[in-house]
Amino acid sequence: MDRFLDHGAKWHGEGRVITAGGDGRDTLIGYAGLRDRANCLSGALLDLGLTPGDRVATLAWNTQHHVEIWYAAMGVGLVCHTLNPRLTVAHLAAMITQADDRVLAVGAGLQEMAEALLAACPRLERLILLDNVGPDVTHVDLEALLDTHGRPTAWGRFEETALAGLCFTSGTTGAPKGVAYTHRSNYLHTLRALQADSIALTNADAVLVAVPMFHANAWGLPFAAPAVGADLVLPNRVTDGASLARLIDHHQVTVAVGVPTVWLGLLDHLDAVGGETESLERIIIGGSSCPDSLLRRMEDRFGATVQTSWGMTELSPLGAISPRSDKPGAARGSGRPPLGLDLQLTDADGAPLPEQRNAVGHLKVKGQSVIERYFDATKTALDPDGWFDTGDLAILDDAGNLTLAGRSKDLIKSGGEWINPVEIEEIVGALPSIGLVAVIGRADPKWGERPLMVVEPARGHDIDDAALKATLKGRVADWWIPDRIVRVETMPLAATGKINKTLLRASYGGA
Amino acid sequence: MDRFLDHGAKWHGEGRVITAGGDGRDTLIGYAGLRDRANCLSGALLDLGLTPGDRVATLAWNTQHHVEIWYAAMGVGLVCHTLNPRLTVAHLAAMITQADDRVLAVGAGLQEMAEALLAACPRLERLILLDNVGPDVTHVDLEALLDTHGRPTAWGRFEETALAGLCFTSGTTGAPKGVAYTHRSNYLHTLRALQADSIALTNADAVLVAVPMFHANAWGLPFAAPAVGADLVLPNRVTDGASLARLIDHHQVTVAVGVPTVWLGLLDHLDAVGGETESLERIIIGGSSCPDSLLRRMEDRFGATVQTSWGMTELSPLGAISPRSDKPGAARGSGRPPLGLDLQLTDADGAPLPEQRNAVGHLKVKGQSVIERYFDATKTALDPDGWFDTGDLAILDDAGNLTLAGRSKDLIKSGGEWINPVEIEEIVGALPSIGLVAVIGRADPKWGERPLMVVEPARGHDIDDAALKATLKGRVADWWIPDRIVRVETMPLAATGKINKTLLRASYGGA
């Protein structure tokens, strides 16, 4: 990890980290300056009594201080555990306890939550306040720590397989699981991302990181950007359309990275108040699938190419990306795996599908920077041939482009045959009268499982069961059509915004 | 190594290897087909009695068969030792003996030399004929071997630190030294080359490899191209301007890689007979420095960007490259190190120069895919901090761009102070009356060494000693001006075309 920033400081000293200020006054620092600060901060962390291998948690938005404490920790072999402030205190306390974090670095606006965590986690020793939130008599502030204990400190000097980071999965389909990254996996992931057909940052780029640093290391961008000297533009907490439009224009952003929702917000802002994103060359999206119509709208309005991608926390996270060199409008799905990663589709028993193209299968992944085991697991997460089961269903087109087709655990087994709820959800979800829809398996004494559909009608709409079933008739097999339909006022969502099927199954999955 | 071609076969089956035919009829094969052939050839090599770790030598030009035997050997843990057909039989026999090669694969036109090597090297067991040279009763032909013993064979199954390749340095300044590459070093080098600011091949590229496969794995291009699905265009033995122009046009080459001399030939051809290189986007040069005027002429005539680079066999070989994203006309020297490699300038005693910019120093390199020791060495080639001494003098500009400034062993120590012969050679070499010039140290009882100048006058020219010395007066320190000047009819050259200073020192370096 230290290598990325060392390389940036030495060979790309003109590259900068730019953090959006709440008042529109952004802060800037060059990689050489950032490296010196992070390096001195390493010494201060050691002076707090931390030793290599200890965990340092962070609860913060995308800011310079957050980047600094990452490098300060990782540079001397401490393990940086990123926490998602959108989770509950109870969830975070469980993660902190499992990780055995000793210190928690806290960003602006999150101090109250951090105090609660400090109270809830007896082994958590102290908070470090980031983002210059002002004097505090109880907790130490990063700048004060630098002033009092900062000192140049040798980086490196650990094995390449030493842990560098820790991140818990979102847990939409089960308990959150800890994913540990090593210096080796982060390094190889960065090289995967820097490939010319991948995220492909260069010295001339300014990359807007609209994906949070607590989501799989912000897709590795705080590592990739200094490695090549690209400007790293951090939006802080705020990712609304107006704020992003200002950052893009003001800092001549060339590459913008985030989930589709964020860019929809930017589109709506530009359409409402006008403005252009002239510097923008590429948008890289991931995290969820994106309809072709939205892709085209983004490319037209932003005057930029959209690269789709797919990843998982367990992969560090990049798993596939539409090649930068693909012609605009190429059928792309979520792209293809860059060198360093391989994909395979299998049947439910794990046997590779004889034909790997144009057939839905269970998606397995193998390669560098795929985790070997979860943080607290004693068992490997890989099968004997080294494949990691993503838990996703997927299909590959003729060119090898990946499209996800649901979660394998969401599959419904009825009379010994599989029903894929995603296919039903897509048809019903397209109806204007439907807000959200989920199809789950309900225990059935005769068939094992039968599909049950939960719908949240669109505001001011409703639709009767017969009409819903008629919509599906002829578009899926008759025996796929749900027997029961349940209406809910509000669909239960997980912290990531995805529908919480675990909860639905608990409520409606019984016989 | 197997991973590059496996990845290409699976995800970029449409990418091709194209080999120029002597008669202009080129052969083509997709990566999927090439992978199957190389994989079956692996089985045939094992059937010859070879076992993992054994060395397979190749004496061949850039052709499909040559690529196939590389992957066939490396895929099952055999070590591919590339030989330079431009060396003498005696030199090559010494290398084969040191490497303990068991088999020699021989390209078209090189069979006579290979027979001589077979006779000279008792432990060399057999030849394998490449390039369909026709039936031969004595030696087996690759196609015949595939027909009779080809069988699918499991690739991989060795440690990442297992040897993959062996290549001897050119030996311009000493005996050739064996450089061994591991699967790990080749893999990391490929990722270094694929970075968007580096060689940066993509799926949409067709890359013309005008650098021989026996020079540091053709700069790694036969690994990088299948990894991303770029077409690999192999010119066979012929790299004259007309042949290259035809290949570029016919196969829509986008990236062309080779030494400046090759592109000068292409320039001269286009200027003489006309024609354009419309598909060409980039030329990547290395191997020797290139005057700015030639760079500009190339960019203008080819309508392409030139990326300069510097490398060494010992680095796998890429050491620095001018970033692809640099603006045209940027001061570039030989570019900057991509992530994975670091450079440092030191004084003659190995202490880092306090100022790393704009001062000449001894160039040290550290990083992945830098050799740890030479093939037959028992001692490390690295200093205690892990730096490899390139033996070059160099300077870095403000942006970090590298320019070589001579070989450190060519420095002359006179009265305890250093004289850099390159500075003298550049001034004298610019005179129209001078063909070639070399300045070496001559033993001197009073000063230790004094500079001596060897000149090969340009045809039909001569210049007297006083005039030569007058040229230097005021442009270098008085005590740098050579005391003696020797005229030779023909300057001795090493196999690479560089002036053989070792020989000059032997002839003229005594007191």
Side-chain angles (χ1 to χ4, degrees):
Chain A
M1 316 309 309
D2 48 311
R3 299 224 175 123
F4 305 133
L5 190 52
D6 275 347
H7 198 82
K10 186 160 177 183
W11 299 104
H12 308 292
E14 78 291 1
R16 302 167 304 173
V17 174
I18 298 160
T19 307
D23 52 358
R25 288 198 306 190
D26 306 333
T27 56
L28 284 78
I29 188 169
Y31 286 124
L34 187 87
R35 193 260 175 214
D36 286 346
R37 283 173 52 88
N39 184 260
C40 285
L41 187 57
S42 288
L45 291 178
L46 296 179
D47 283 356
L48 293 181
L50 296 170
T51 56
D54 281 348
R55 265 76 71 188
V56 172
T58 68
L59 183 75
W61 310 108
N62 289 13
T63 68
Q64 174 188 327
H65 272 184
H66 197 179
V67 173
E68 285 170 353
I69 200 142
W70 273 25
Y71 278 102
M74 298 182 197
V76 287
L78 300 169
V79 182
C80 199
H81 173 199
T82 52
L83 295 167
N84 179 349
R86 299 205 175 89
L87 299 179
T88 64
V89 167
H91 272 117
L92 292 173
M95 294 172 182
I96 289 170
T97 301
Q98 189 191 129
D100 199 20
D101 297 326
R102 293 187 58 191
V103 166
L104 174 60
V106 189
L110 298 165
Q111 194 172 336
E112 194 178 332
M113 186 174 219
E115 303 270 8
L117 289 169
L118 192 61
C121 302
R123 288 177 59 85
L124 188 61
E125 296 166 16
R126 72 175 77 227
L127 306 185
I128 298 173
L129 304 183
L130 308 179
D131 305 333
N132 299 313
V133 289
D136 182 293
V137 291
T138 321
H139 308 293
V140 67
D141 170 271
L142 182 138
E143 295 294 347
L145 195 60
L146 259 182
D147 284 348
T148 55
H149 289 83
R151 56 182 168 85
T153 305
W155 274 356
R157 307 190 175 185
F158 36 74
E159 295 296 312
E160 65 185 41
T161 52
L163 294 192
L166 180 63
C167 181
F168 279 74
T169 61
S170 56
T172 45
T173 56
K177 286 180 279 193
V179 171
Y181 302 118
T182 65
H183 287 266
R184 177 182 161 108
S185 69
N186 279 343
Y187 186 78
L188 290 169
H189 182 269
T190 300
L191 286 171
R192 182 147 95 236
L194 289 176
Q195 289 177 44
D197 249 349
S198 182
I199 294 178
L201 295 184
T202 73
N203 192 44
D205 282 318
V207 58
L208 174 62
V209 185
V211 57
M213 288 170 64
F214 50 79
H215 274 172
N217 295 330
W219 305 358
L221 295 164
F223 304 141
V228 297
D231 283 352
L232 188 67
V233 182
L234 302 175
N236 212 318
R237 181 181 189 155
V238 186
T239 57
D240 63 279
S243 301
L244 295 182
R246 186 189 68 77
L247 285 174
I248 290 168
D249 182 57
H250 200 70
H251 300 293
Q252 293 291 292
V253 166
T254 56
V255 181
V257 184
V259 294
T261 317
V262 165
W263 309 121
L264 190 56
L266 178 59
L267 275 177
D268 289 345
H269 167 80
L270 294 180
D271 286 351
V273 308
E276 301 297 330
T277 52
E278 283 176 19
S279 60
L280 208 55
E281 297 168 8
R282 289 185 289 145
I283 303 255
I284 300 172
I285 61 171
S288 63
S289 66
C290 184
D292 276 352
S293 57
L294 179 56
L295 286 182
R296 279 192 298 273
R297 194 176 149 214
M298 285 166 62
E299 294 195 325
D300 288 348
R301 187 63 181 87
F302 296 145
T305 306
V306 175
Q307 283 179 269
T308 53
S309 75
W310 163 78
M312 293 178 75
T313 306
E314 288 88 339
L315 314 185
S316 300
L318 183 64
I321 186 165
S322 57
R324 185 180 183 187
S325 64
D326 266 10
K327 289 191 177 60
R332 48 196 158 189
S334 295
R336 310 199 279 279
L339 179 68
L341 208 75
D342 197 16
L343 308 180
Q344 187 171 65
L345 298 179
T346 72
D347 64 20
D349 299 322
L353 297 187
E355 179 48 73
Q356 291 282 312
R357 296 290 189 272
N358 301 309
V360 173
H362 296 252
L363 179 63
K364 309 292 166 66
V365 187
K366 182 156 80 172
Q368 282 92 29
S369 72
V370 177
I371 57 160
E372 198 271 326
R373 69 186 71 230
Y374 286 98
F375 181 64
D376 67 339
T378 50
K379 272 199 329 198
T380 177
L382 309 180
D383 76 12
D385 292 324
W387 293 96
F388 173 79
D389 186 352
T390 64
D392 287 310
L393 300 168
I395 189 166
L396 298 166
D397 69 12
D398 285 329
N401 292 305
L402 175 78
T403 298
L404 293 197
R407 295 284 299 170
S408 57
K409 65 163 45 172
D410 292 339
L411 285 180
I412 299 159
K413 196 167 195 175
S414 182
E417 301 286 337
W418 295 105
I419 295 171
N420 187 350
V422 169
E423 296 186 36
I424 303 169
E425 289 161 359
E426 280 180 355
I427 295 166
V428 173
L431 299 174
S433 54
I434 297 297
L436 291 168
V437 57
V439 175
I440 61 167
R442 178 183 55 78
D444 184 279
K446 181 174 175 190
W447 301 105
E449 285 188 315
R450 286 296 301 153
L452 174 142
M453 182 154 67
V454 184
V455 294
E456 177 189 315
R459 204 175 299 172
H461 285 79
D462 200 8
I463 181 165
D464 70 27
D465 288 8
L468 276 172
K469 290 182 184 178
T471 303
L472 291 167
K473 185 85 183 170
R475 299 181 68 186
V476 298
D478 278 355
W479 61 275
W480 281 38
I481 297 177
D483 302 319
R484 295 200 199 166
I485 297 172
V486 174
R487 276 169 190 71
V488 294
E489 204 161 307
T490 312
M491 189 70 80
L493 301 180
T496 54
K498 295 177 192 169
I499 292 175
N500 190 335
K501 284 200 173 180
T502 306
L503 200 59
L504 290 179
R505 273 190 286 264
S507 304
Y508 306 110
Chain B
M1 316 307 308
D2 48 312
R3 299 223 176 124
F4 304 134
L5 191 51
D6 276 345
H7 199 82
K10 187 162 177 182
W11 299 103
H12 307 293
E14 78 291 1
R16 301 167 305 172
V17 174
I18 298 160
T19 308
D23 51 0
R25 288 197 308 190
D26 306 335
T27 55
L28 284 77
I29 188 168
Y31 286 123
L34 187 88
R35 194 260 175 212
D36 286 346
R37 283 172 53 87
N39 183 261
C40 285
L41 188 57
S42 289
L45 291 178
L46 295 180
D47 283 356
L48 293 180
L50 296 169
T51 55
D54 281 349
R55 265 76 71 190
V56 172
T58 69
L59 183 75
W61 311 107
N62 290 13
T63 68
Q64 176 188 327
H65 273 184
H66 198 179
V67 174
E68 285 170 352
I69 201 143
W70 274 24
Y71 277 101
M74 298 182 197
V76 288
L78 300 169
V79 182
C80 199
H81 174 198
T82 51
L83 295 167
N84 180 349
R86 300 206 175 89
L87 300 179
T88 64
V89 168
H91 272 117
L92 292 173
M95 293 173 182
I96 289 171
T97 300
Q98 190 192 127
D100 199 19
D101 297 326
R102 294 188 57 192
V103 167
L104 175 60
V106 189
L110 298 165
Q111 194 172 336
E112 194 178 332
M113 187 173 218
E115 303 270 9
L117 290 168
L118 192 62
C121 303
R123 289 176 59 85
L124 188 61
E125 296 166 16
R126 70 175 77 227
L127 307 185
I128 297 173
L129 304 183
L130 309 179
D131 305 335
N132 299 312
V133 289
D136 182 292
V137 290
T138 319
H139 307 294
V140 67
D141 170 271
L142 182 139
E143 295 294 347
L145 196 59
L146 259 183
D147 284 347
T148 54
H149 290 81
R151 56 180 168 85
T153 305
W155 274 356
R157 308 190 175 186
F158 37 72
E159 295 295 310
E160 66 185 43
T161 51
L163 293 192
L166 180 62
C167 180
F168 279 74
T169 61
S170 57
T172 45
T173 56
K177 286 180 279 193
V179 171
Y181 302 119
T182 65
H183 287 266
R184 177 182 162 107
S185 69
N186 279 343
Y187 187 79
L188 290 169
H189 181 268
T190 300
L191 287 171
R192 181 148 96 235
L194 289 176
Q195 291 177 44
D197 249 350
S198 181
I199 294 179
L201 295 184
T202 72
N203 191 44
D205 281 319
V207 58
L208 174 61
V209 184
V211 57
M213 288 171 63
F214 50 78
H215 274 172
N217 295 330
W219 305 358
L221 295 164
F223 305 140
V228 298
D231 283 351
L232 189 67
V233 182
L234 303 175
N236 210 320
R237 181 180 188 156
V238 187
T239 56
D240 63 278
S243 302
L244 295 182
R246 186 190 68 78
L247 284 174
I248 290 168
D249 183 57
H250 200 69
H251 300 293
Q252 293 292 291
V253 166
T254 56
V255 182
V257 184
V259 296
T261 318
V262 165
W263 309 122
L264 191 56
L266 177 59
L267 275 176
D268 289 344
H269 167 80
L270 294 180
D271 285 351
V273 308
E276 300 299 330
T277 51
E278 283 176 18
S279 59
L280 208 55
E281 296 168 7
R282 290 185 289 146
I283 304 255
I284 300 171
I285 61 171
S288 64
S289 66
C290 184
D292 276 352
S293 57
L294 179 55
L295 287 182
R296 279 193 297 274
R297 195 178 148 214
M298 284 167 62
E299 294 195 324
D300 288 349
R301 187 65 180 86
F302 297 145
T305 307
V306 174
Q307 283 178 270
T308 52
S309 75
W310 164 78
M312 293 179 77
T313 305
E314 289 88 339
L315 314 185
S316 299
L318 183 64
I321 186 165
S322 57
R324 186 181 182 186
S325 64
D326 266 10
K327 288 191 179 58
R332 48 196 155 189
S334 297
R336 311 199 279 278
L339 178 67
L341 209 76
D342 196 18
L343 308 179
Q344 187 171 65
L345 298 178
T346 72
D347 63 21
D349 299 323
L353 298 187
E355 180 48 72
Q356 290 282 312
R357 297 290 189 270
N358 302 309
V360 173
H362 296 252
L363 179 62
K364 309 291 166 69
V365 186
K366 181 156 78 171
Q368 282 93 30
S369 72
V370 177
I371 57 161
E372 198 271 325
R373 69 187 70 229
Y374 286 98
F375 180 66
D376 68 339
T378 50
K379 273 198 329 196
T380 178
L382 309 180
D383 77 12
D385 292 324
W387 293 96
F388 173 80
D389 185 352
T390 64
D392 286 310
L393 301 168
I395 188 166
L396 298 166
D397 69 13
D398 285 328
N401 291 305
L402 176 76
T403 298
L404 294 196
R407 295 283 301 169
S408 56
K409 65 164 45 173
D410 292 339
L411 285 179
I412 298 157
K413 197 166 195 175
S414 183
E417 301 285 337
W418 295 104
I419 296 171
N420 187 350
V422 170
E423 296 187 36
I424 303 170
E425 289 160 0
E426 279 179 356
I427 295 166
V428 173
L431 299 174
S433 56
I434 297 296
L436 291 168
V437 57
V439 175
I440 60 167
R442 180 183 53 78
D444 184 280
K446 181 172 177 194
W447 300 106
E449 285 188 314
R450 285 295 301 151
L452 174 143
M453 181 153 67
V454 183
V455 294
E456 175 189 317
R459 204 174 299 170
H461 286 79
D462 200 9
I463 181 165
D464 70 27
D465 288 7
L468 275 172
K469 291 182 184 178
T471 303
L472 291 167
K473 186 84 183 169
R475 300 182 66 186
V476 299
D478 279 354
W479 60 276
W480 281 36
I481 298 178
D483 302 320
R484 295 202 199 163
I485 297 172
V486 174
R487 276 169 192 68
V488 294
E489 204 161 308
T490 312
M491 189 71 79
L493 302 180
T496 54
K498 295 176 192 169
I499 292 174
N500 190 334
K501 284 199 172 179
T502 306
L503 199 60
L504 290 180
R505 274 190 286 263
S507 304
Y508 306 110

